[in-house]
Amino acid sequence: GLVVLGVNQQEKPDAARSFLQEFGVTYTSVLDTDGEVSETYGVGRGLPISFLVAPSGVIEKVYFGRLSEDNFSEIAARLQ
């Protein structure tokens, strides 16, 4: 199964909550309050950034920018 996890980068909890409500986010989202997760994954190169991570924890692919329909099709194919 696919798990989607959003990471809010170094925002105050109220600001993050407002964003999630404004955009109707329904997936789990966590706060990276000190930037440790963002630094570990090299997120400083720009947002949004998406990682396709195997169940083993290995990053299989990194997507920079907004995901396209082709990206979603590729991800769906990998899940089958």
Side-chain angles (χ1 to χ4, degrees):
L2 176 67
V3 175
V4 175
L5 176 67
V7 179
N8 192 289
Q9 190 178 23
Q10 295 177 292
E11 294 241 334
K12 293 190 179 356
D14 288 341
R17 195 174 303 108
S18 292
F19 174 87
L20 298 175
Q21 289 173 346
E22 179 181 345
F23 290 96
V25 173
T26 58
Y27 51 81
T28 301
S29 186
V30 296
L31 289 173
D32 181 17
T33 54
D34 61 3
E36 181 179 351
V37 173
S38 300
E39 184 174 320
T40 299
Y41 282 87
V43 174
R45 294 175 281 179
L47 295 174
I49 186 171
S50 301
F51 298 89
L52 185 59
V53 182
S56 64
V58 174
I59 297 172
E60 292 188 3
K61 182 136 185 189
V62 179
Y63 299 89
F64 294 95
R66 187 175 185 179
L67 292 175
S68 68
E69 289 296 324
D70 288 343
N71 296 142
F72 284 114
S73 295
E74 177 186 340
I75 292 167
R78 286 176 179 245
L79 291 173
Q80 295 179 0

